[in-house]
Amino acid sequence: MPSEKITSESESRSSREGREVTEVRERRQAPAQLDRASQREGRRLPVRSDRTPHDEAPPACLSGDPTCAPTERILEPEVRRHHRRKRKLLEFTHSSTRATMLMLAAAVAALVIENTPVLPYFAEFWRTFDIGISLGDFAPHLSLEHFINDFLMAIFFLLVGLEIKFEMTAGELKNPRKALLPILGAAGGAIVPALVYTAVNVGSGFEQGWGVPMANDIAFCLGILALLGSRIPAGLRSFLSTLTIADDIIAIMVIAVFYTANLDVAWLAGGLGLFAVLIVFNRLHIYDLLPYLVVGLGMWACFLMSGVHATIAGVLLALAIPARSQVKLDRAPSWFAARARRADDRYDPGEPDIVQKEYLSEVAEIGRVSRLSIPPITRLDHRLHIPVYFFILPLFAFSNASVVLTGMDPLSIVTNPVTIGVFCGLLFGKPLGIFLATWLTVKLKLSDLPQGVNWGHIGGVSVLGGVGFTMAIFVTNLAFVDPNMIAMAKAAILAASLIAGIAGFFILRAVTDEEDEEPIR
């Protein structure tokens, strides 16, 4: 009967699988290693006499033990110490709180230096030190300040673009209903402060600064939220992350549309043409990062010469980089298992490492496929994180947060419409816009609050949205030409961001403390 045949084949297959599992277990539990040639003849090698206690595999890692990781079990004893130091450095540099503190320290250092006789020509240094190349008649030169603001910040915008693409591909922006709440919150948080600034500055001659209080600072917001630790609901972290990403998208659009001067159509067409080339790369499934980075550099140069702010090139480059893996990940585990068995079969414990040609070849292939398994945007994000948050942003803060207050009348600073518009826009307009837009979205049943999040949390995050350090200073440099107006706008940004950050932190802390004190029913 067919059913009997199927049953017998199934039983035969099960018995074969059982024998294979038993053989694997016996090999793993063998007290001594077998030479591959001797294994075929059934002979067992003697136990090596030169083994030391350090050669034994370390015990299983305890949960939460930062000095123990599964990878360290296969490392040479003298290498483990270096590996742990490197891992601690990575843990240190992947802390949003530490990155925030470093940026804040850079800003404070710039303020101190600029307003003391230590370096009276501090600001002049950034504007007069040139960086450039010469290719015949083509000799573009940038001051150090423009190099930081136009090139290094383009790398920061590249990282922002990668975060935007991640959210659009796999994050909250992929789900329209979930994404609607933070997107509309970000829209409200951009419109209301712009209206507040405009209302204060009507007829002042400085109406062009309306874009300054629109943008918040993703690094500072997430860094302050990280200070509260596990008491913050996961849904609130997701809400704030998506809101800041949406806020960045709005800021990028505002910069591209409203803060572009002396537009050169030919250079702009060249930049858009190179962006089309990047899209073709994506459609052709080119996963190597180098072609994208080379064409992206050319696109940056075209945008720089066109008059459109060059940092937009970083965002467009990020949107073109593939987000998929080159490897069919559902097939990867079985491939890695088979390849690991082949590598195990080719290892000869009696030979030096450098002559294990076949074994090393198998391991190299495993490593190659492992790298191919990681999507390009993930690889680039990992490479950019440390230089952006621990070098570029602190350098930007150090070069742009300087405000010359000496010699200026304090009353004229406080009563200046630019100062009032920026300060009130960030500290009052931004929180009001975020909260009202979020409240209306929920009341109109367009979306729901994230799980575990209440209106107290939304209020705290809305106030936290008034932290506008990096992006606001960036837009300030584009909106104003007069150094005095730039200084007043920066002073207002720093004051409003400081108050908003402290107030948002304590509001969220008070809300979470109240929840902890509620009796269990």
Side-chain angles (χ1 to χ4, degrees):
M1 295 289 292
S3 60
E4 294 177 355
K5 182 178 180 181
I6 293 173
T7 303
S8 61
E9 289 178 354
S10 177
E11 292 174 351
S12 176
R13 184 167 59 253
S14 300
S15 61
R16 286 198 304 272
E17 292 175 352
R19 287 196 300 272
E20 290 173 358
V21 171
T22 302
E23 290 174 359
V24 170
R25 287 176 177 171
E26 290 175 353
R27 285 201 302 269
R28 289 179 176 176
Q29 295 172 357
Q33 292 179 315
L34 298 178
D35 180 85
R36 300 306 170 201
S38 300
Q39 281 183 7
R40 290 191 292 269
E41 299 175 7
R43 297 197 302 270
R44 186 179 298 276
L45 291 175
V47 178
R48 289 172 52 190
S49 59
D50 59 344
R51 288 177 63 100
T52 65
H54 294 290
D55 294 319
E56 300 292 339
C61 293
L62 298 176
S63 177
D65 184 358
T67 63
C68 183
T71 304
E72 295 178 3
R73 300 177 185 179
I74 63 173
L75 299 177
E76 291 287 350
E78 60 273 12
V79 178
R80 290 177 193 157
R81 192 180 308 107
H82 303 296
H83 181 77
R84 289 171 185 170
R85 280 198 293 264
K86 181 179 179 181
R87 188 156 49 81
K88 287 179 179 178
L89 177 62
L90 291 176
E91 290 173 357
F92 177 87
T93 54
H94 278 71
S95 167
S96 57
T97 304
R98 295 188 181 100
T100 300
M101 293 300 104
L102 183 59
M103 280 190 288
L104 183 60
V108 171
L111 283 170
V112 171
I113 292 174
E114 192 69 26
N115 291 278
T116 59
V118 175
L119 189 60
Y121 303 106
F122 176 74
E124 194 66 20
F125 167 75
W126 302 105
R127 301 188 182 99
T128 57
F129 188 89
D130 285 343
I131 298 175
I133 59 173
S134 296
L135 297 174
D137 295 333
F138 185 71
H141 285 264
L142 292 174
S143 67
L144 185 57
E145 181 182 39
H146 282 129
F147 176 75
I148 295 169
N149 294 343
D150 292 339
F151 181 74
L152 293 184
M153 286 302 286
I155 300 175
F156 164 69
F157 274 80
L158 172 58
L159 185 60
V160 171
L162 294 176
E163 294 170 350
I164 292 172
K165 182 156 187 175
F166 174 83
E167 291 294 333
M168 294 172 61
T169 305
E172 294 291 333
L173 295 179
K174 184 180 180 181
N175 187 323
R177 183 171 175 80
K178 287 185 177 180
L180 191 61
L181 187 67
I183 288 176
L184 292 180
I191 294 171
V192 175
L195 293 176
V196 169
Y197 179 92
T198 302
V200 173
N201 281 271
V202 170
S204 68
F206 304 111
E207 294 88 348
Q208 72 273 19
W210 59 269
V212 174
M214 289 180 65
N216 68 3
D217 192 285
I218 182 172
F220 269 103
C221 288
L222 295 179
I224 294 171
L225 199 67
L227 294 174
L228 295 166
S230 59
R231 67 175 68 191
I232 294 299
L236 187 64
R237 295 180 190 276
S238 178
F239 173 82
L240 180 60
S241 298
T242 310
L243 184 142
T244 53
I245 291 296
D247 191 276
D248 283 343
I249 295 174
I250 296 171
I252 290 165
M253 294 173 62
V254 167
I255 292 170
V257 176
F258 297 101
Y259 291 103
T260 294
N262 303 320
L263 183 64
D264 189 315
V265 177
W267 281 107
L268 178 61
L272 294 177
L274 291 177
F275 177 62
V277 172
L278 293 173
I279 298 299
V280 171
F281 284 175
N282 185 292
R283 298 302 181 189
L284 293 177
H285 303 288
I286 296 176
Y287 290 90
D288 290 335
L289 286 172
L290 184 59
Y292 290 94
L293 297 179
V294 171
V295 175
L297 182 61
M299 181 173 62
W300 172 83
C302 287
F303 278 122
L304 179 68
M305 303 300 292
S306 72
V308 175
H309 204 273
T311 53
I312 304 300
V315 179
L316 296 179
L317 172 59
L319 296 179
I321 294 176
R324 294 179 61 88
S325 171
Q326 301 182 59
V327 175
K328 292 183 178 294
L329 295 182
D330 58 333
R331 301 181 183 179
S334 59
W335 186 91
F336 282 121
R339 210 77 191 198
R341 287 194 295 270
R342 289 181 58 178
D344 187 55
D345 290 338
R346 283 159 175 73
Y347 179 69
D348 188 343
E351 296 290 341
D353 293 349
I354 58 175
V355 299
Q356 305 270 0
K357 300 296 185 182
E358 293 184 354
Y359 170 76
L360 294 177
S361 176
E362 295 293 338
V363 172
E365 183 66 10
I366 292 173
R368 187 182 72 86
V369 175
S370 297
R371 289 188 293 273
L372 295 179
S373 301
I374 303 175
I377 66 167
T378 304
R379 283 188 278 133
L380 187 58
D381 180 81
H382 287 170
R383 293 176 184 177
L384 291 179
H385 183 90
I386 293 177
V388 166
Y389 284 108
F390 285 83
F391 174 70
I392 293 176
L393 288 183
L395 184 59
F396 174 82
F398 188 65
S399 63
N400 286 273
S402 57
V403 180
V404 181
L405 300 177
T406 54
M408 296 181 67
D409 182 11
L411 183 61
S412 66
I413 297 174
V414 174
T415 58
N416 187 278
V418 171
T419 305
I420 297 173
V422 172
F423 182 84
C424 293
L426 281 173
L427 191 58
F428 303 114
K430 195 81 176 174
L432 182 63
I434 294 173
F435 190 87
L436 282 181
T438 304
W439 183 81
L440 285 173
T441 304
V442 173
K443 291 303 177 182
L444 294 175
K445 300 187 183 302
L446 300 176
S447 186
D448 303 315
L449 288 179
Q451 185 176 3
V453 175
N454 57 41
W455 288 111
H457 292 131
I458 298 298
V461 164
S462 298
V463 174
L464 208 59
V467 178
F469 185 76
T470 305
M471 276 292 194
I473 292 177
F474 190 82
V475 177
T476 297
N477 293 330
L478 301 177
F480 299 109
V481 177
D482 186 350
N484 289 331
M485 293 302 105
I486 293 176
M488 290 182 183
K490 288 181 179 180
I493 291 168
L494 295 176
S497 298
L498 180 63
I499 296 173
I502 294 173
F505 172 82
F506 281 107
I507 290 173
L508 288 172
R509 183 175 178 179
V511 171
T512 52
D513 286 344
E514 287 178 2
E515 290 180 344
D516 293 339
E517 292 174 0
E518 288 183 359
I520 300 176
R521 297 179 181 178

